[in-house]
Amino acid sequence: MFRLTEDLRFYLFTGKVNLLRGCLSLCDLIRAEMKSDPLDERNVYVFMNHAGTIVRLIHYELGFYVMYEKRPGNGRFRKPVYDAKSGKYKISYTDLTCLTDGLVRTEMRLSDSLQ
């Protein structure tokens, strides 16, 4: 329980999102905007507020939604570059770690299936 590992697939929601919304409301965004299934236990969905001060992750595991939230004590997260060609992209575990640790990568690779 409560496991985020590199064998999971991480997807960043690139649209505008109000993080005051609850888990089920964010799941509606996953279905409608990302055209994906939030019940797929292999997927983790990443949401970031516009200011870059909050990151939330939603993951379905063992019959329950789990929502993680990270807020820096000061400063902001840097949003990865969005790829308009694919419409969405898979974030590697390494990229997610860099994002939530406040590091900036100069390169992000898209999964072959998403290009």
Side-chain angles (χ1 to χ4, degrees), residues 38 42 58 60 72:
R42 299 169 297 175
I58 294 180
Y60 188 79

Side-chain angles (χ1 to χ4, degrees), residues 82-95:
Y82 175 66
D83 179 43
K85 182 179 177 183
S86 68
K88 66 180 179 179
Y89 60 92
K90 180 178 170 182
I91 300 173
S92 72
Y93 184 73
T94 304
D95 290 338

Side-chain angles (χ1 to χ4, degrees), residues 4 10 12 44-48 52-57 68-80 91-105 108:
L4 293 179
F10 296 84
L12 175 68
V44 178
Y45 301 93
V46 181
F47 296 87
M48 182 186 299
T53 57
I54 303 170
V55 169
R56 281 198 182 155
L57 290 82
Y68 303 87
E69 179 174 294
K70 191 161 186 177
R71 295 173 183 242
N74 55 28
R76 301 171 191 271
F77 296 110
R78 295 211 180 169
K79 192 175 269 188
I91 300 173
S92 72
Y93 184 73
T94 304
D95 290 338
L96 177 73
T97 302
C98 289
L99 169 70
T100 60
D101 285 345
L103 302 175
V104 179
R105 293 202 44 174
M108 285 193 160

